[in-house]
């Protein structure tokens, strides 16, 4: 196992992905992780991520420098290398010759295990404004660039390595080789981590955590919560009870499809609660997207808490939280970094619930969850179900939520998904959905003037939702969808297509 200590890098999820692509398990933890906890994890290697801070700044993130005395190989990337140098007695300063973008590695020490098999050209991706002025005792420079005298350093005796560039990004063409060298030639890792091994480890961890206790799962019907339910059921059987809260913000026929899946196919106990009126009443007149999310999250917890209170002896709450949910909802290292959006299933529980959390998918990406679902024997239709937000259509009805506006959006959404699936695009897209705008425009239907709503179509391609690009859907397809929506849905007289990417936009509109 590789431990990744996150100093706030925008690329930390890429580090994890690159490690897992080599079938080596890894965990991402904050720098506040104690030495005792690191010893208990017993990692074969540690990677210190990059980050936006400068090591000489006040309150810059730091982990316990004792990690360098554990005898565990360490690779520091960008800020991670600078922290290593500073913590061990070296010096890092701001440089007038900042380096961003492509650079060429020069004067490479071919004896250094990180650079084993590296071939010319040795292009790398830089993103820094600081440089090493003095190395700690025992370190030597192993690579340089035109602007950076210490582009890579190492203390081979202590198995401590640092690179100023980012080997995890695609812009460093041989970065995968450098990471593989660290994993296999420095740390001695083996390619043991597969979804089969993850199931075994997760089941053991759930059993160890839950003991003889009972677990409640808030079920949404998406792939994340369904995979969580099946994994928990495999671990603890009927000591799991799922609660599905119908918030009135679901797609057409969603609750009925979920009931059939769990009752007839998975045979997992689910309690269905219809709370649509309660949610819509709480949301009446609310237009601010963040307020909507928080209201939906609050009401969900209230309804869930009430239903859970009827179950005697419950000790744990399980959630299908994924890693992208976590990093979009909070600072990577507890600092003042911006929250992109709040997630109703991230951030803990009211203390009065007195339930401990179990989140077996917390360190997985969406594509890994799909592979896990296949390993657990779930049907392909469910495994490849596109992501659907926890707040549901509540954040796709832009502006005020009313029963009539929800009815219009459900009809638009159904037509779009029918056409997406019929055209063979569904599995090629990360997400495809419709949004109802709080804007009306003039149209003409049957020689009569209309003044009705605009529906927006959003379709994106992505690997893990951290970044996304708008899908280049054929014009003929878009024309067919638009024609059907305008002809079949009363209340819409104009359809637009969203051609923005993430970043700078987000996938969802709210």
């Amino acid at each position: 196992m590789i431990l990744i200590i996150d100093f706030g890098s925008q690329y930390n999820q890429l580090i994890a992905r690159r490690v897992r692509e080599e079938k080596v398990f890894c965990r991402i933890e904050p720098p506040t992780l104690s030495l005792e906890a690191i010893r208990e994890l017993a990692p074969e290697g540690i990677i210190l991520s990059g980050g936006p801070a400068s090591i000489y700044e006040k309150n810059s993130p730091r982990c316990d420098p004792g990690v360098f005395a554990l005898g565990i190989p360490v690779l520091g990337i960008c800020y991670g290398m600078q922290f290593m140098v500073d913590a061990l007695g070296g010096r890092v300063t701001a440089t007038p010759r900042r380096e961003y973008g492509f650079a060429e590695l020069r004067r490479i020490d071919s004896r250094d295990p990180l650079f084993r098999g590296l071939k010319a050209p040795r292009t790398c991706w830089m993103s820094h404004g600081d440089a090493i002025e003095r190395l700690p005792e025992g370190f030597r420079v192993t690579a340089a660039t035109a602007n950076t005298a210490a582009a890579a350093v190492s203390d081979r005796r202590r198995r401590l390595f640092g690179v100023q560039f980012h080997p995890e990004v695609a812009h460093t063409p041989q970065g995968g080789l450098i990471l593989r060298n660290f994993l296999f030639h420095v740390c001695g890792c083996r390619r043991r981590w597969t979804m089969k091994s993850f199931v075994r480890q997760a089941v053991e961890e759930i059993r160890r955590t839950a003991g003889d206790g009972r677990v409640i799962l808030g079920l949404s019907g998406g792939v994340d919560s369904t995979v969580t339910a099946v994994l928990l059921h495999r671990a603890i059987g009927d000591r799991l009870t799922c609660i599905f809260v119908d918030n009135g913000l679901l797609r057409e026929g969603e609750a009925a499809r979920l009931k059939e899946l769990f009752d007839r196919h998975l045979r997992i106990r689910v309690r269905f609660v219809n709370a649509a009126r309660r949610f819509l009443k709480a949301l009446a007149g609310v237009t601010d997207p963040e307020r909507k999310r928080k209201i939906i999250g609050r009401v969900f917890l209230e309804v869930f808490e009430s239903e859970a209170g009827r179950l005697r002896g419950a000790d744990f709450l399980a959630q299908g939280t994924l890693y992208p949910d976590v990093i979009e909802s909070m600072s990577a290292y507890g600092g003042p970094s911006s929250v992109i959006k709040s997630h109703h299933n991230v951030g803990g529980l009211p203390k009065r619930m007195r339930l401990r959390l179990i989140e077996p998918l917390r360190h997985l990406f969406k594509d890994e969850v799909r592979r896990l679902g296949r390993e657990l024997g779930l049907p392909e239709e469910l495994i490849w179900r596109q992501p659907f937000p926890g707040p549901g259509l509540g954040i796709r009805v832009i502006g005020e939520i009313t029963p009539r506006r929800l009815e219009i959006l459900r009809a638009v959404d159904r037509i779009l998904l029918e056409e997406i699936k019929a055209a063979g695009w569904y599995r090629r897209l990360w997400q495809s959905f419709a949004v109802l705008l709080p804007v009306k425009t003039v149209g003409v239907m049957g020689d009569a003037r209309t003044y009705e709503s605009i529906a927006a179509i959003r379709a994106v391609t992505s690997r893990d939702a951290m970044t996304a690009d708008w899908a280049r859907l054929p014009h003929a397809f878009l024309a067919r969808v638009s024609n059907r929506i305008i002809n079949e849905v009363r209340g819409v007289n104009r359809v637009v297509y969203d051609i923005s990417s993430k970043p700078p936009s987000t996938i969802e509109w709210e």
Side-chain angles (χ1 to χ4, degrees):
M1 190 271 281
I2 295 294
L3 172 64
I4 299 169
I5 294 181
D6 174 23
F7 287 123
S9 172
Q10 61 180 313
Y11 300 133
N12 55 34
Q13 72 276 8
L14 286 178
I15 301 172
R17 183 170 296 286
R18 297 294 176 257
V19 172
R20 293 181 186 186
E21 284 171 352
E22 299 300 329
K23 297 184 178 178
V24 175
F25 182 63
C26 65
R27 285 181 57 165
I28 300 174
E29 297 290 346
T32 52
L33 191 69
S34 68
L35 278 183
E36 181 182 353
I38 293 174
R39 288 191 187 98
E40 288 179 3
L41 288 173
E44 295 164 285
I46 297 172
I47 296 178
L48 307 178
S49 84
S54 291
I55 192 63
Y56 47 78
E57 292 175 342
K58 186 178 180 180
N59 298 323
S60 60
R62 297 168 181 266
C63 66
D64 191 319
V67 297
F68 303 117
L70 294 175
I72 299 170
V74 180
L75 171 63
I77 296 174
C78 198
Y79 177 89
M81 177 181 81
Q82 294 167 6
F83 166 73
M84 181 191 299
V85 167
D86 182 80
L88 293 174
R91 180 176 174 81
V92 177
T93 59
T95 173
R97 303 178 69 183
R98 297 182 301 172
E99 199 169 31
Y100 294 96
F102 290 105
E104 192 79 16
L105 289 176
R106 303 175 179 178
R107 298 194 301 278
I108 290 178
D109 182 352
S110 58
R111 297 170 300 172
D112 192 273
L114 282 191
F115 301 124
R116 178 175 175 175
L118 207 67
K119 299 176 182 178
R122 302 178 178 100
T123 306
C124 67
W125 183 260
M126 289 285 193
S127 180
H128 69 101
D130 298 325
I132 294 173
E133 184 178 278
R134 185 183 71 247
L135 285 173
E137 184 178 349
F139 278 78
R140 60 194 305 272
V141 173
T142 56
T145 69
N147 289 337
T148 303
V153 301
S154 72
D155 179 338
R156 290 171 62 183
R157 183 183 62 83
R158 288 188 286 177
R159 297 188 295 173
L160 304 178
F161 301 84
V163 293
Q164 185 61 66
F165 57 91
H166 289 272
E168 70 273 24
V169 303
H171 298 81
T172 302
Q174 298 183 79
L177 174 62
I178 293 170
L179 289 174
R180 284 194 295 275
N181 284 339
F182 178 70
L183 295 176
F184 303 118
H185 298 303
V186 175
C187 301
C189 296
R190 296 183 182 180
R191 290 183 168 92
R192 294 173 174 168
W193 192 71
T194 62
M195 277 304 141
K196 184 172 288 188
S197 67
F198 178 84
V199 170
R200 184 173 61 253
Q201 293 167 359
V203 166
E204 290 173 359
E205 187 170 344
I206 290 167
R207 287 172 178 166
R208 184 168 57 252
T209 302
D212 295 327
R214 304 188 69 84
V215 179
I216 302 171
L217 170 66
L219 190 68
S220 71
V223 62
D224 305 334
S225 67
T226 303
V227 167
T228 302
V230 175
L231 195 59
L232 285 161
H233 192 256
R234 180 170 292 193
I236 61 172
D238 288 341
R239 286 189 285 123
L240 166 70
T241 299
C242 299
I243 298 175
F244 176 76
V245 177
D246 184 346
N247 58 14
L249 306 170
L250 303 175
R251 283 172 162 158
E252 196 174 281
E254 193 85 9
R257 285 192 295 270
L258 182 70
K259 195 171 192 313
E260 168 139 1
L261 173 67
F262 274 78
D263 286 352
R264 298 185 59 182
H265 300 289
L266 300 178
R267 300 188 183 281
I268 296 175
R269 184 188 306 159
V270 180
R271 297 171 72 107
F272 288 85
V273 183
N274 188 339
R277 288 185 180 179
R278 184 167 176 175
F279 278 88
L280 293 181
K281 182 179 179 180
L283 290 165
V286 177
T287 59
D288 179 76
E290 191 63 13
R291 278 196 66 205
K292 285 184 188 178
R293 286 180 176 272
K294 290 185 175 180
I295 289 170
I296 292 168
R298 173 179 58 78
V299 176
F300 172 82
L301 282 175
E302 290 171 356
V303 174
F304 188 89
E305 180 183 9
S306 174
E307 191 65 22
R310 301 176 187 178
L311 300 172
R312 295 182 180 179
D315 306 288
F316 298 89
L317 172 69
Q319 295 184 154
T321 308
L322 302 192
Y323 182 59
D325 297 337
V326 176
I327 61 178
E328 283 194 338
S329 295
M330 60 189 70
S331 164
Y333 54 86
S337 60
S338 175
V339 172
I340 297 173
K341 63 188 177 196
S342 61
H343 287 264
H344 73 286
N345 62 332
V346 176
L349 298 166
K351 291 181 180 179
R352 63 181 180 273
M353 288 188 73
R354 297 181 180 178
L355 296 174
R356 287 171 284 170
L357 274 177
I358 294 180
E359 296 175 309
L361 310 184
R362 188 178 179 86
H363 296 288
L364 295 186
F365 295 93
K366 177 71 76 171
D367 60 315
E368 293 172 326
V369 174
R370 287 191 169 118
R371 294 204 303 273
L372 176 58
R374 186 177 292 110
E375 179 66 32
L376 292 169
L378 291 174
E380 287 289 307
E381 181 181 357
L382 174 67
I383 291 171
W384 287 100
R385 184 182 189 269
Q386 292 179 357
F388 187 66
L393 300 182
I395 58 169
R396 292 180 181 172
V397 171
I398 311 299
E400 185 178 5
I401 300 170
T402 66
R404 174 57 183 153
R405 299 192 77 210
L406 284 168
E407 181 185 348
I408 291 172
L409 183 57
R410 284 193 183 98
V412 173
D413 182 80
R414 173 180 53 77
I415 291 169
L416 173 62
L417 290 184
E418 284 176 358
E419 293 293 338
I420 288 280
K421 291 175 180 177
W425 275 92
Y426 190 78
R427 284 181 58 168
R428 296 166 64 184
L429 298 172
W430 176 265
Q431 226 166 327
S432 50
F433 58 90
V435 177
L436 189 66
L437 306 187
V439 177
K440 290 189 174 183
T441 63
V442 173
V444 178
M445 292 182 178
D447 296 325
R449 181 182 184 276
T450 63
Y451 189 59
E452 295 180 334
S453 297
I454 303 174
I457 294 172
R458 180 75 158 143
V460 299
T461 57
S462 180
R463 185 173 183 179
D464 52 23
M466 302 307 302
T467 61
D469 194 15
W470 62 278
R472 272 62 170 177
L473 297 176
H475 291 180
F477 170 83
L478 291 172
R480 184 167 63 253
V481 171
S482 175
N483 188 59
R484 276 198 64 189
I485 291 171
I486 292 172
N487 282 333
E488 297 178 29
V489 181
R490 292 186 179 276
V492 174
N493 68 357
R494 192 178 300 268
V495 176
V496 297
Y497 186 49
D498 182 347
I499 59 169
S500 50
S501 299
K502 176 186 178 180
S505 302
T506 53
I507 294 177
E508 296 285 348
W509 279 43
E510 288 197 341

